[in-house]
Amino acid sequence: MSRHFATAAIVQAAPGYRELRITIREQGKADDIAMIAVRPMHDTPDVLAAFGWRLVGSLEYVAGPNEERAEVEPCNPADHGGAEALRDAVRREIRARTRARLLVHPSARHFQPVLLNGDHSTDPIGWTFVVGVNHDRGHGWVTSTGAVSHGPRITTRADAARNVRHEYMAQMTEAQVEEPDDSTAYAQLQQQPGDVLARLLLIVRNGGTIPVDAEPVEKPAGETEGPVFRKGDRILCVDGVTRTVEGMAPTGTGEPARVVVEGGGEWIAGNCLRANPEVILAAHRRSNAAGDRVRTKPDPTNSEWRAALTELGEALDYLRKADPTVRVALAEDDAREAAIQVHPDARGFQPIHNPGEDEPAAWTFRTGHAAGSRYGVVTRTAEVSPIGLYEYPTTAERAWRQHESELTR
């Protein structure tokens, strides 16, 4: 029987929002198989029990990364009211993220929760997210009951959050907050046991979607899910590292397909992207052709123009993940725009790297002129750090690192 291990930590998931995040992996496997993320007012053993896992022994605290680790084993999910409330919170997030991507915004990313009453809130009432790139970049929102923003993209995340609260209060007035607008889809999630919900949450947190608005399709006996890769293929694994394929691993009935990479590690194939040079080159060609059409006689009423815009978004979304050069360039574009929205004269962006990482975690930027110049930091997720402005870029970087360290304590 396989052994499983859980890692639990209270993390700063977004500005003003902390969560207890638990990941579970199987011994000998490189990628996680499940994730649980709830508000940090619950004990780790209780949260694990709600999703069908129990401790083998006790939790061990690891001071460096400030987390707890333990061996766990499957069990029957706890059935008390508190456990069901935890599962229901995860169901709402799975549905919200999936509906946002499937129904309106395929490129939705950088989800951040919206609370009704700050730290006194229990669960999010919705999420804001980023859509589009460069000058087409904006924000959208989705509520915990599944209502998704339509129409023009919203300029700031703060405005999107206000829309979530407005929608929530309107539903409160109409006494409809507890009634999902897609009861069939929600009923499907309610039928899923806790361990399945934890697997689904990992998928949507990693940018995937699940068919919550359609009946599940039964696979023929013995058929596995996920793409098939061949020896020599280059793939982007879920941790953001590109690796070379050695072959496909044998799997049993109902198990997800796994791909074996150089060194013997195994990854769930459905979580990997093809990253062969010819695939990346083809995506560049598609994005260039679509970009040329989008820039030529823009006309949102023209079906050909709209199709080109969709093609551009899909190609850039793939390149953002598979091509490190594009990934960094697009992230820097997002970060620059975010900084300029707060400081219109922001310029002189310089990357900040964490030890051992090739891609920047943030950028410093300069405002003002001559002796009045001051420096701030904007992060990889396009959020201007609240540390303020400093006389030197090195001081701003130190303040940002100190702030990030304090958030994870």
Side-chain angles (χ1 to χ4, degrees):
M1 180 177 177
S2 299
R3 299 174 65 189
H4 296 85
F5 299 89
T7 300
I10 295 178
V11 302
Q12 190 80 18
Y17 184 85
R18 294 162 69 85
E19 68 182 16
L20 170 60
R21 186 179 299 169
I22 303 173
T23 56
I24 298 171
R25 64 176 179 84
E26 187 177 349
Q27 185 180 32
K29 307 298 183 182
D31 53 339
D32 297 325
I33 63 170
M35 173 186 287
I36 307 166
V38 296
R39 293 287 279 159
M41 62 274 295
H42 307 282
D43 292 331
T44 300
D46 293 338
V47 175
L48 285 167
F51 291 87
W53 296 93
R54 64 185 170 207
L55 297 176
V56 177
S58 58
L59 287 162
E60 176 188 1
Y61 176 70
V62 183
N66 193 27
E67 61 190 22
E68 294 178 311
R69 301 172 185 170
E71 183 177 353
V72 294
E73 62 182 9
C75 67
N76 292 325
D79 58 2
H80 54 77
E84 179 59 23
L86 289 171
R87 291 190 289 268
D88 206 45
V90 169
R91 289 187 191 105
R92 287 194 292 270
E93 180 172 352
I94 293 170
R95 181 185 59 174
R97 286 177 179 258
T98 299
R99 283 177 62 81
R101 292 193 179 106
L102 286 181
L103 299 184
V104 186
H105 307 286
S107 66
R109 62 194 186 279
H110 299 330
F111 282 74
Q112 289 189 6
V114 178
L115 299 176
L116 184 62
N117 191 27
D119 288 338
H120 299 289
S121 301
T122 52
D123 299 316
I125 60 171
W127 288 262
T128 60
F129 50 83
V130 176
V131 292
V133 295
N134 298 331
H135 297 297
D136 195 39
R137 183 178 183 272
H139 296 83
W141 55 266
V142 56
T143 70
S144 60
T145 56
V148 186
S149 61
H150 292 76
R153 293 171 180 176
I154 302 168
T155 303
T156 68
R157 193 183 289 273
D159 288 337
R162 278 192 286 271
N163 285 354
V164 171
R165 296 188 178 95
H166 175 79
E167 180 72 16
Y168 179 84
M169 296 308 297
Q171 291 177 327
M172 285 283 288
T173 303
E174 298 168 6
Q176 294 179 351
V177 172
E178 298 302 326
E179 293 295 327
D181 58 6
D182 55 345
S183 57
T184 300
Y186 200 61
Q188 291 176 15
L189 288 175
Q190 286 182 311
Q191 294 170 6
Q192 302 298 333
D195 62 329
V196 173
L197 292 175
R199 293 173 187 267
L200 295 179
L201 182 64
L202 178 66
I203 291 172
V204 298
R205 283 277 181 117
N206 284 335
T209 57
I210 59 172
V212 297
D213 290 297
E215 293 296 326
V217 177
E218 292 293 331
K219 295 284 185 180
E223 182 176 337
T224 58
E225 296 184 358
V228 176
F229 299 106
R230 294 179 174 81
K231 182 178 177 62
D233 280 344
R234 295 285 287 171
I235 60 171
L236 179 71
C237 300
V238 73
D239 63 347
V241 177
T242 302
R243 296 179 172 88
T244 302
V245 173
E246 291 293 328
M248 299 299 295
T251 56
T253 302
E255 294 182 358
R258 288 181 175 272
V259 56
V260 182
V261 299
E262 54 191 342
E266 293 186 12
W267 298 81
I268 295 176
N271 292 342
C272 300
L273 283 177
R274 296 186 186 277
N276 290 335
E278 64 271 17
V279 177
I280 293 176
L281 179 59
H284 276 289
R285 288 171 175 163
R286 292 199 308 274
S287 68
N288 290 338
D292 288 342
R293 175 62 188 93
V294 168
R295 289 188 294 270
T296 303
K297 297 182 180 179
D299 181 6
T301 65
N302 183 289
S303 59
E304 180 188 342
W305 186 88
R306 293 199 305 271
L309 183 62
T310 300
E311 175 76 8
L312 177 62
E314 292 174 351
L316 289 178
D317 187 52
Y318 167 78
L319 290 170
R320 179 188 292 273
K321 298 172 184 176
D323 188 329
T325 302
V326 173
R327 185 164 60 237
V328 172
L330 292 178
E332 184 173 356
D333 284 346
D334 289 348
R336 285 173 179 268
E337 290 194 13
I340 290 171
Q341 286 181 6
V342 179
H343 303 283
D345 64 339
R347 62 196 183 281
F349 290 78
Q350 296 295 324
I352 298 174
H353 291 85
N354 287 328
E357 296 182 3
D358 294 329
E359 299 182 16
W363 287 264
T364 59
F365 60 86
R366 183 173 79 252
T367 67
H369 300 277
S373 294
R374 293 295 182 268
Y375 295 84
V377 172
V378 58
T379 69
R380 176 66 176 263
T381 56
E383 300 290 342
V384 177
S385 177
I387 60 169
L389 300 176
Y390 292 83
E391 188 173 0
Y392 302 104
T394 52
T395 310
E397 179 180 343
R398 283 196 298 271
W400 172 73
R401 293 191 183 279
Q402 177 65 28
H403 176 71
E404 293 295 299
S405 174
E406 291 173 353
L407 291 180
T408 58
R409 291 178 182 174

